Amino acid sequence: MGDGFQIIVDREVSQDEAPHLAQKVREWLVARRVVEPELTDGEWNSPGYRPGPGYTAAVETPDPDLFHMLANELVIIVGRTFFWTPYTNLTCRACAARFDAYSDEWVDAVGAWHQGDDSAVFVCPERGTAERVTEWSGESTSGFGNLGFKFWNWPPLSAGFVREVTELLGHRTVLVRGKL
């Protein structure tokens, strides 16, 4: 069965601006009653916000069972983070080669980005084409950024809701979905 997650990742926010935008979006979600205002301990060792009675404004199809799940919170992640889905492959835009995202080279490139190198590159093992690590994609979406909103076990977020959050942030976002 497993636990599912959806993360709205702000791809452009600076480290300095991220805490302010996190607070702005949290206040907006609380005002709309999408989440409860109180911070909980969180099931995943991260404090989070339980869904509020207005959570239906955020999802495609409401699920009343959401309130009965142990892990159902919104966790707001501030700080340089690679948001990804386990068990994925990468695809080269130049040659369409697919390969495992768990190679030492990929991990090293992501690590360099995480340490602050915004120009970190990954080289396609098939063609040798180098591209910034933040521009690679694969069969599952991933995102690099300083701010993410991770919804644990919520029904699929609606496109309209993701668009509203994106507009509130004022930056490009990506929606990362996965299951553990």
Side-chain angles (χ1 to χ4, degrees), residues 2-102:
D3 291 295
F5 60 86
Q6 301 166 84
I7 313 166
I8 300 174
V9 180
D10 186 324
R11 298 181 61 185
E12 298 172 330
V13 68
S14 70
Q15 288 179 338
D16 292 339
E17 187 184 17
H20 167 74
L21 278 181
Q23 183 66 19
K24 179 180 176 180
V25 171
R26 188 197 72 77
E27 289 172 359
W28 178 78
L29 292 170
V30 168
R32 293 185 65 201
R33 301 178 65 200
V34 172
V35 297
E36 294 291 338
E38 301 84 23
L39 195 59
T40 66
D41 290 338
E43 191 64 27
W44 294 102
N45 297 321
S46 296
Y49 300 91
R50 298 277 185 206
Y55 87 96
T56 57
V59 299
E60 290 176 6
T61 306
D63 181 356
D65 289 337
L66 177 64
F67 292 102
H68 305 292
M69 294 181 181
L70 289 176
N72 65 357
E73 62 267 0
L74 161 66
V75 176
I76 301 174
I77 303 160
V78 176
R80 198 169 181 89
T81 305
F82 174 48
F83 300 94
W84 59 285
T85 301
Y87 321 112
T88 191
N89 290 314
L90 296 171
T91 304
C92 178
R93 291 194 298 187
C95 70
R98 292 180 52 186
F99 44 90
D100 185 4
Y102 295 100

Side-chain angles (χ1 to χ4, degrees), residues 94-117:
C95 70
R98 292 180 52 186
F99 44 90
D100 185 4
Y102 295 100
S103 70
D104 289 341
E105 295 80 10
W106 173 253
V107 171
D108 289 346
V110 170
W113 176 86
H114 195 265
Q115 295 299 315
D117 182 359

Side-chain angles (χ1 to χ4, degrees), residues 99 105 121-131 136:
F99 44 90
E105 295 80 10
V121 298
F122 178 69
V123 177
C124 172
E126 294 290 321
R127 236 183 146 163
T129 307
E131 190 167 15
W136 279 87

